[in-house]
Amino acid sequence: MKENLNSKSSRRKFLSLGLLSGAGLLTQKVEAMSPEVYEGEKVTMLTADGKLVEVSKEVLEQSANREKARNQDILKWSASAKKSMP
C-alpha cells in the first residue's frame, strides 16, 4: 500500500514538473517571437506602394550601417547551401 502512495506522488510530481516546464518554454517562445518596440523619435516615410509609415530613427540608423554582401560572399554561401542539401 505504501508503494502505491509513493508511485502516485511521484507521478504527480512528474506531471506537475512537466506542466511547469512546458508553460515556461511556451512563455519563453512567446517572448522571443514578440516584436521589439522601438521608442523615441519617429520619421514618416513613403513606401514603394505609396503608403505613409512611421519608422523609428534607431531602425534607420541600424539599416544604414549594414554592409552589402559581396559577390564572393554570395558564391561561398550558395556553395555551402548546395552541399548541405540532400
Side-chain angles (χ1 to χ4, degrees):
M1 186 76 170
K2 243 183 184 183
E3 290 178 24
N4 224 1
L5 291 175
N6 285 338
S7 66
K8 286 183 180 180
S9 67
S10 67
R11 287 181 190 152
R12 287 181 184 155
K13 285 181 185 178
F14 175 74
L15 289 174
S16 64
L17 286 175
L19 290 173
L20 288 174
S21 62
L25 289 173
L26 183 65
T27 57
Q28 290 296 324
K29 187 170 182 161
V30 168
E31 287 177 6
M33 292 177 64
S34 64
E36 293 182 25
V37 178
Y38 292 102
E39 298 293 328
E41 196 171 344
K42 297 193 179 218
V43 179
T44 305
M45 298 183 73
L46 187 65
T47 63
D49 58 349
K51 295 180 182 177
L52 287 174
V53 294
E54 288 187 351
V55 180
S56 175
K57 278 192 173 183
E58 292 176 20
V59 174
L60 289 176
E61 290 172 2
Q62 288 176 0
S63 64
N65 295 335
R66 286 193 215 162
E67 292 182 14
K68 292 185 178 180
R70 298 177 302 196
N71 286 341
Q72 293 174 350
D73 297 332
I74 295 171
L75 289 173
K76 286 180 185 177
W77 173 80
S78 64
S80 66
K82 286 180 184 176
K83 288 179 184 177
S84 66
M85 295 177 82

